Amino acid sequence: MNHHLKEYLSKHHYPRFEIKAILFDMDGVLYDSMPAHADSWQKTMEEFGYSTTKPAEFYLHEGRLGQATINIITEREFGREATAKEMEEIYARKTELFREYNNGKTITGAAQVLELVKEKGLTPVLVTGSGQPSLLGRLDAHFPGTFTPQTMVTAFDVVNGKPDPEPFLQGLKKGGDLQPNQAIVIENAPLGIEAAVGAGIFTIAVNTGPLPDSLLREAGASVVFDSMTQLLEELPGLLHQAETTGI
Ligand code: MG
């Protein structure tokens, strides 16, 4: 672990970490919602006459704003950009089906990780590309007293979604005007990792889905864990090392 931390510091020319906040992605990190996302996307695209998508594809789009995903698939399928009306209608239907398919189940260990972060006096910040009211509105019910609008970045806050670094740069701001070496990102998806690494933040991947670890490493994750439970076990040691590691 130590050498990953050192590698980050030397690459980014920081003498040390000063961790104040942990930036959490939502889908696939806090909520076990990715299967419902993939299935609702697939059903929606079929209904709108698209024939080239498969549910597995949507794990690769994970983190993108819905409009961007629709546009990429429309260009591939029809050789043109999606119209504003298509984007609106498709995303509305996808949102409706997602609400129907998703059971609101949280990822095992996620609540405990958030509690640990708070116990350590660090600020948990949510950084998601999601614009799904059915999950965003229930965060406080599932993870009480953890996130407030002041510590959340959602689809409604950004112009450029993941893989652009903007959401995580805003996350640093909401964490208390932080520098990149004052935070750690927890992500599960390649595009989210790319965004976090682009924002210059030490990024831990938690692989809760079907993609191979290699894709998460290639996207730039410094460390890949296989579950939030493993993160829960490793995080105290990692934070201790981050406090004591310097170059
Ligand atoms: Mg995710």
Side-chain angles (χ1 to χ4, degrees), residues 26-36 102-108 208:
M26 184 172 76
D27 291 291
V29 168
L30 302 181
Y31 285 114
D32 190 9
S33 47
M34 276 311 297
N102 186 46
N103 54 18
K105 208 173 133 229
T106 57
I107 295 269
T108 304
T208 59

Side-chain angles (χ1 to χ4, degrees), residues 25-29 34 62-63 162 187-189:
D25 173 50
M26 184 172 76
D27 291 291
V29 168
M34 276 311 297
E62 184 185 351
K162 302 170 187 178
E187 257 288 352
N188 71 309

Side-chain angles (χ1 to χ4, degrees), residues 76-134:
R76 182 182 73 210
E77 182 111 17
F78 301 118
R80 61 167 178 83
E81 289 188 1
T83 64
K85 185 165 175 278
E86 283 172 326
M87 287 198 272
E88 190 182 320
E89 287 178 0
I90 291 171
Y91 196 63
R93 178 60 175 153
K94 189 264 166 181
T95 300
E96 182 179 41
L97 286 175
F98 175 75
R99 198 180 304 128
E100 194 180 303
Y101 295 168
N102 186 46
N103 54 18
K105 208 173 133 229
T106 57
I107 295 269
T108 304
Q112 292 92 323
V113 169
L114 292 171
E115 286 309 313
L116 175 70
V117 165
K118 287 189 278 183
E119 274 168 30
K120 297 269 177 199
L122 306 175
T123 307
V125 178
L126 187 82
V127 181
T128 178
S130 175
Q132 301 292 329
S134 61

Side-chain angles (χ1 to χ4, degrees), residues 137-179:
R138 281 152 65 196
L139 271 168
D140 203 54
H142 289 117
F143 308 106
T146 304
F147 302 110
T148 68
Q150 287 71 44
T151 58
M152 286 167 61
V153 179
T154 74
F156 306 108
D157 298 304
V158 296
V159 177
N160 301 300
K162 302 170 187 178
D164 192 279
E166 185 188 338
F168 286 106
L169 294 173
Q170 283 204 32
L172 289 175
K173 201 173 274 181
K174 288 199 163 189
D177 273 325
L178 304 177
Q179 296 301 310

